[in-house]
Amino acid sequence: MAATAAERAGTLRTALLLALALAACGAEPRGAAGPDQEADLQAALAQYEAAVAWLLGTDQADLQACWTEDRAAFARRLATCAGTACRVALLRERLAELQGWQSDSQRIAGLALPPPRRELLAILAPEGGAAPARQDEPPAQAREGVLVHAATRPEHMGLAVATAEGEHVIVFDDELGNQDAHHMLLDMPGVPVRVLGHLRVAADGIADFDTARCRRVYRLHAPPAPPEPAGDAS
């Protein structure tokens, strides 16, 4: 029987709370990186990503499309590696980001994952039945800061990430409650995050995330970095 939205949301919250408790744990990588080790990590990643897809809801087409977008961004990043050692390091990093979404029985022993710099917190689908992403969609942009509820500017109120350059709304007030992840994020004020999506600059010059596009939220376990130049963020 398919899990209900409430069951998936409860499982997701439990998994994320466990991830936060385990965030400081992790072993240093063992042994030299080689083709066999890389293949094992690739297989483990396929299993971990499949678990995330299930928790998002196999019947949630928009969320699944956003998760596919996130996976594709990582694949492009992995393809920039010049050798096995680089790929093994990135695969371990990615597995550590997704570890919190795995149940105890799904976690693979012996991966020697590093303490994660960031962990996947939420995938947000386009709000209000927005049109699917365009084929010529520009690369996602990233902003790092802390979660807040922006309320100072009438046209820019909602769940936002506050950075050194200002607040960038992730979900506007009139959209809050449309997705299970909204409630979880609202309950985490002040948590450091990295948000990936497509920024849209309003007439007043303020840039908010385009809520008609996918947004991915990662919890940071290190101080937020300065804003990045335009490019394929991941």
Side-chain angles (χ1 to χ4, degrees):
M1 180 181 295
T4 66
E7 289 170 338
R8 287 195 300 268
T11 303
L12 170 58
R13 289 189 179 90
T14 300
L16 290 173
L17 288 173
L18 180 60
L20 301 181
L22 296 175
C25 299
E28 291 298 321
R30 298 179 302 214
D36 291 343
Q37 185 182 47
E38 181 182 349
D40 289 345
L41 292 172
Q42 288 276 17
L45 181 59
Q47 178 178 319
Y48 274 29
E49 288 183 336
V52 175
W54 183 86
L55 283 170
L56 291 174
T58 55
D59 58 340
Q60 301 296 311
D62 289 344
L63 279 175
Q64 293 295 336
C66 293
W67 178 227
T68 296
E69 181 180 299
D70 190 85
R71 294 169 70 174
F74 175 75
R76 289 191 296 270
R77 186 177 167 209
L78 191 66
T80 65
C81 282
T84 302
C86 171
R87 289 191 295 273
V88 164
L90 281 183
L91 287 165
R92 281 201 176 103
E93 179 183 292
R94 175 70 165 174
L95 286 162
E97 291 173 358
L98 305 182
Q99 180 93 316
W101 289 67
Q102 316 305 311
S103 67
D104 289 342
S105 62
Q106 290 171 317
R107 294 189 178 196
I108 301 172
L111 292 178
L113 302 181
R117 178 183 178 271
R118 65 186 190 186
E119 293 179 276
L120 180 64
L121 196 55
I123 300 285
L124 299 176
E127 307 293 341
R134 303 183 302 272
Q135 291 298 316
D136 61 345
E137 189 78 271
Q141 297 158 284
R143 291 293 182 269
E144 295 187 357
V146 297
L147 286 175
V148 298
H149 184 240
T152 56
R153 299 181 178 90
E155 301 300 319
H156 304 276
M157 296 174 65
L159 177 69
V161 55
T163 71
E165 62 180 18
E167 296 173 339
H168 306 281
V169 173
I170 307 166
V171 184
F172 289 97
D173 270 349
D174 61 356
E175 300 167 332
L176 287 172
N178 291 339
Q179 302 183 48
D180 292 337
H182 292 175
H183 303 291
M184 178 186 68
L185 295 172
L186 281 170
D187 288 339
M188 304 179 75
V191 168
V193 294
R194 176 180 178 85
V195 182
L196 295 107
H198 297 89
L199 289 168
R200 183 175 60 183
V201 181
D204 58 10
I206 297 175
D208 293 317
F209 283 94
D210 185 353
T211 63
R213 297 288 178 262
C214 301
R215 288 133 296 147
R216 293 111 69 195
V217 184
Y218 282 77
R219 177 165 187 163
L220 295 177
H221 295 288
E228 297 179 356
D232 188 6
S234 62

